[in-house]
Amino acid sequence: MALDKKAGYRKNFSLGIIFIGLISILFILSLFLAFNYSKKSIENDFVAEKVNVLEQSIKPYNDFFQNKMPEISYYNGYLDSATASRFVDTLILKYPFVSKVTFYDTEVKNVPVKDGVNANHLGIGPKAIFQFGKQVSPDSIKIYSEDNTRSFNVGDDFNAMAIKLATFVEDLDTAAVPTQEELFTNFSIVNSNDNKITYLNIPRREDLKTYKDMVRRKLDPSPVYQQDVLVFKLDANKIKIVNTRPLLYQTIRIEPLTYDPIDTSEENITTEIALPGAFSDFKLYLISSKSYIKKEIFIYFMPIALVLLLVYGVLLLVAFLIYRNLNINSKMFKLQYDFVNNLTHEFKTPVSVIKIAGNNIKSATSLSERELNLYGKILDEEADKLNGLMNKLLAFTQIENKAIKLNQEEVNIEDFIESTIESHTLKHPDFQITYEVLGFKTFITDPVLLGSLFDNLAENAYKYSKPDHKKLHISAKLIKGVLVFRFADKGIGIAASELNNIFKKFFRIQNEYNQMGSVGLGLAFCKELVNFMEGEITVKSKVGTGTEFKIVLPYNN
């Protein structure tokens, strides 16, 4: 039987080790996969997040192109040099990437112009040209005036816009209404090669119809219309880069679209994205070292690792609880197994003695008076043993389940202790018991339960003492309103490692005194008795010196 139990225990332990090993392997594998997933995710983000960087960085440019630049149309062609200068000052302050603005104070006539573009009877030319910007000196702001008799090259930007206006007017369907998007597209030119945007204020619909008539014929009187053409020179290097992922992108630069770095170290990761519109000859160049990216990978990986660690910890806790439960069950099975064996022995011994005595009486032809007394005494003692054992089991169950009531009787403590001493010295003549009482004489308690408590502790003191050390000292004192009883013997003592278990049911200390004749209920019964009487029991012991049980009970008088 013992071998089977040990084998079962080893089997349970092995299963636990296998379970812990499997979840540990899964945990390590999960960490490895989670790290690879984090690395792949960050690498994908490195490529994808550049779109957000681009969107945030060119947000001012989009605002300039879509909102600020069309404000020129509000002046309906009557923008003068002073107003244009103020407009450009606010523009450069808000949009630093605008480096210079050339302003063409333009006229559309029904006669040919000297400097500009002529389309049949339609002439488009500048009345004056101004340039504004931080790098423009005050004496070079005005660069052209129609009063100048010399021929002047007004520039490709102006001519391109004038040609575009003339073409639009020639193809204009006066019966249809052009959309704002069509107008904006036809009256602006984005030149990515020179990073310029040319814009002509959008004429009114009535003016466009008149321009169409001016292309076909001479009108009388000859009309003159005012238009404003502005050429914005842009500097891509003045774009403020907004790094939306500073932990992902270590460095972000604006480079020409054809830029190809000579240093292509494997220690770095790079990606790029082209700028839009007038900056389309440039790109955002994003670069980070692999060691820099690792920080972001670990930031992404750590929460996943913590979750996996939490799951691993829970599984380890479950494994521990299962192991502990199996261990407890194994110990409980052993305790119950030993209890049944010992209980069987306890019952079997007196039953065997009773049966032998009965057989002797039955087989004897005649018995002397001495023999009759001897057999009668044997039968009486063995019956008392059986009765005492059954009473202890019954009382333990009743007290444990609170099935009995606590009787309240006045007890004279000296008489009570002396009665206990007399009972045990009659049974064990070599048992030396002394006592002392201090601070009280009587108190209210249940004498039957108190007697069971005293008897169990006295019996233990006798049983677990060597023949020449069977001594017990009982003290009863009233201390600070409570009764303190001490049972100090000179027995074999209890190891410190066993002290926490001695009050457990079915627990027996393994020594030569417990091989047979104990079911492990004595001290557990004492513990239940004291708890039932609303008291407390503790123990201190030293191996080879002795044991002292201390009982504290409420003082009722």
Side-chain angles (χ1 to χ4, degrees):
M1 177 66 73
L3 288 174
D4 290 341
K5 285 191 287 182
K6 287 181 181 177
Y9 183 78
R10 283 198 301 271
K11 185 178 179 182
N12 292 332
F13 184 76
S14 299
L15 287 174
I17 292 296
I18 291 170
F19 177 73
I20 291 172
L22 285 175
I23 63 172
S24 298
I25 292 170
L26 287 174
F27 173 65
I28 294 169
L29 181 62
S30 300
L31 286 178
F32 176 75
L33 293 175
F35 183 79
N36 282 344
Y37 170 78
S38 301
K39 183 180 177 183
K40 191 69 177 177
S41 179
I42 294 302
E43 288 174 351
N44 290 339
D45 282 353
F46 187 85
V47 174
E49 284 294 316
K50 64 185 178 184
V51 177
N52 289 332
V53 175
L54 176 65
E55 288 178 354
Q56 294 302 316
S57 298
I58 65 166
K59 206 172 185 180
Y61 168 76
N62 290 334
D63 179 63
F64 159 75
F65 187 77
Q66 297 170 8
N67 299 316
K68 191 66 179 178
M69 199 170 64
E71 287 182 10
I72 299 167
S73 294
Y74 298 159
Y75 295 96
N76 292 318
Y78 292 99
L79 193 68
D80 59 20
S81 61
T83 308
S85 177
R86 289 194 297 271
F87 175 79
V88 172
D89 286 342
T90 59
L91 191 74
I92 292 175
L93 189 63
K94 187 175 182 181
Y95 307 103
F97 51 81
V98 179
S99 60
K100 189 174 79 170
V101 179
T102 304
F103 167 54
Y104 295 84
D105 189 3
T106 306
E107 288 184 336
V108 178
K109 302 178 181 180
N110 201 198
V111 296
V113 295
K114 180 180 65 171
D115 298 309
V117 173
N118 295 296
N120 294 335
H121 301 287
L122 181 71
I124 306 170
K127 183 171 59 174
I129 303 174
F130 302 86
Q131 58 181 2
F132 308 101
K134 290 182 179 180
Q135 305 299 322
V136 177
S137 60
D139 57 350
S140 60
I141 292 176
K142 188 173 183 179
I143 56 176
Y144 172 78
S145 173
E146 65 179 351
D147 298 335
N148 193 341
T149 57
R150 292 181 304 164
S151 179
F152 181 80
N153 182 9
V154 297
D156 294 337
D157 300 318
F158 179 84
N159 289 333
M161 179 54 70
I163 292 169
K164 196 168 187 178
L165 174 61
T167 304
F168 179 79
V169 168
E170 286 180 1
D171 298 337
L172 179 66
D173 181 1
T174 55
V177 179
T179 64
Q180 287 298 317
E181 186 176 351
E182 288 174 339
L183 290 172
F184 186 81
T185 303
N186 281 280
F187 291 98
S188 63
I189 299 173
V190 177
N191 186 345
S192 61
N193 292 327
D194 295 325
N195 307 124
K196 292 179 180 178
I197 299 177
T198 305
Y199 184 79
L200 169 69
N201 69 288
I202 300 173
R204 292 170 297 184
R205 190 179 176 204
E206 293 77 11
D207 295 345
L208 289 171
K209 289 180 180 179
T210 303
Y211 292 172
K212 192 170 183 67
D213 288 339
M214 290 166 66
V215 171
R216 295 171 181 169
R217 59 191 174 88
K218 275 185 170 268
L219 302 180
D220 189 24
S222 178
V224 177
Y225 287 85
Q226 302 297 320
Q227 293 287 154
D228 297 322
V229 177
L230 283 87
V231 179
F232 301 92
K233 174 66 176 175
L234 307 181
D235 185 355
N237 293 312
K238 294 294 179 64
I239 294 175
K240 184 180 179 181
I241 297 172
V242 180
N243 190 350
T244 56
R245 292 288 294 274
L247 296 177
L248 187 62
Y249 299 115
Q250 190 175 11
T251 304
I252 304 176
R253 304 195 303 264
I254 294 175
E255 299 286 356
L257 200 62
T258 55
Y259 173 75
D260 188 12
I262 298 174
D263 180 18
T264 55
S265 173
E266 293 184 358
E267 293 299 316
N268 295 328
I269 303 175
T270 62
T271 186
E272 57 188 45
I273 185 169
L275 294 171
F279 300 122
S280 56
D281 279 349
F282 292 87
K283 63 185 176 182
L284 285 181
Y285 186 75
L286 306 96
I287 182 170
S288 296
S289 65
K290 289 183 179 180
S291 59
Y292 189 84
I293 291 291
K294 280 181 181 178
K295 296 177 184 177
E296 183 73 355
I297 292 173
F298 276 106
I299 290 173
Y300 190 93
F301 168 71
M302 285 309 295
I304 302 174
L306 288 175
V307 171
L308 291 174
L309 183 61
L310 179 63
V311 173
Y312 179 66
V314 170
L315 290 175
L316 282 181
L317 179 61
V318 169
F320 170 74
L321 292 176
I322 292 173
Y323 168 76
R324 190 182 70 167
N325 188 53
L326 289 172
N327 201 22
I328 290 172
N329 287 341
S330 177
K331 289 180 179 179
M332 287 300 296
F333 173 76
K334 187 176 183 302
L335 287 173
Q336 291 173 359
Y337 177 82
D338 292 341
F339 168 70
V340 172
N341 277 347
N342 292 322
L343 188 63
T344 302
H345 180 269
E346 285 289 294
F347 275 101
K348 188 175 181 180
T349 301
V351 168
S352 299
V353 173
I354 291 171
K355 188 171 182 180
I356 291 170
N359 286 334
N360 288 342
I361 294 171
K362 182 179 177 182
S363 61
T365 53
S366 62
L367 295 172
S368 64
E369 185 176 347
R370 179 177 174 277
E371 289 175 326
L372 286 173
N373 290 334
L374 176 61
Y375 286 129
K377 183 181 178 182
I378 290 172
L379 292 173
D380 186 55
E381 288 178 352
E382 298 304 322
D384 285 342
K385 285 182 182 179
L386 289 174
N387 186 54
L389 185 57
M390 287 187 292
N391 285 339
K392 182 181 284 188
L393 289 171
L394 180 61
F396 189 98
T397 304
Q398 288 176 330
I399 291 172
E400 193 175 36
N401 294 308
K402 304 294 188 291
I404 61 174
K405 291 184 178 180
L406 189 66
N407 293 323
Q408 299 291 338
E409 297 181 18
E410 187 176 27
V411 173
N412 184 295
I413 189 59
E414 290 188 0
D415 293 342
F416 188 85
I417 293 175
E418 287 177 357
S419 175
T420 301
I421 293 173
E422 183 180 353
S423 172
H424 284 276
T425 52
L426 282 174
K427 189 188 298 184
H428 308 296
D430 58 339
F431 198 10
Q432 299 177 28
I433 304 177
T434 58
Y435 76 94
E436 64 173 325
V437 177
L438 185 64
F440 74 108
K441 289 185 178 181
T442 63
F443 71 109
I444 306 299
T445 188
D446 188 318
V448 176
L449 297 184
L450 188 65
S452 297
L453 180 61
F454 275 47
D455 287 341
N456 272 281
L457 293 176
E459 193 64 36
N460 268 6
Y462 181 82
K463 181 178 179 180
Y464 296 104
S465 297
K466 293 180 180 180
D468 54 343
H469 288 81
K470 295 189 180 295
K471 298 175 182 180
L472 175 65
H473 179 72
I474 303 172
S475 70
K477 297 179 181 179
L478 180 61
I479 302 174
K480 295 182 181 180
V482 294
L483 296 178
V484 179
F485 297 93
R486 297 180 188 273
F487 292 76
D489 63 40
K490 301 294 182 181
I492 61 173
I494 304 169
S497 59
E498 306 284 2
L499 288 177
N500 291 329
N501 299 317
I502 61 173
F503 293 113
K504 294 179 181 178
K505 287 187 294 184
F506 312 131
F507 179 80
R508 296 187 312 134
I509 299 173
Q510 300 300 318
N511 54 48
E512 72 262 28
Y513 298 91
N514 264 339
Q515 297 305 310
M516 287 298 177
S518 173
V519 292
L521 283 178
L523 290 177
F525 182 56
C526 290
K527 178 76 171 177
E528 289 297 328
L529 279 173
V530 172
N531 289 343
F532 188 68
M533 297 167 73
E534 299 180 351
E536 182 181 346
I537 183 170
T538 56
V539 61
K540 61 181 182 179
S541 182
K542 186 175 181 182
V543 176
T545 300
T547 303
E548 181 183 275
F549 288 91
K550 176 184 174 183
I551 300 164
V552 179
L553 295 176
Y555 177 60
N556 298 319
N557 196 8

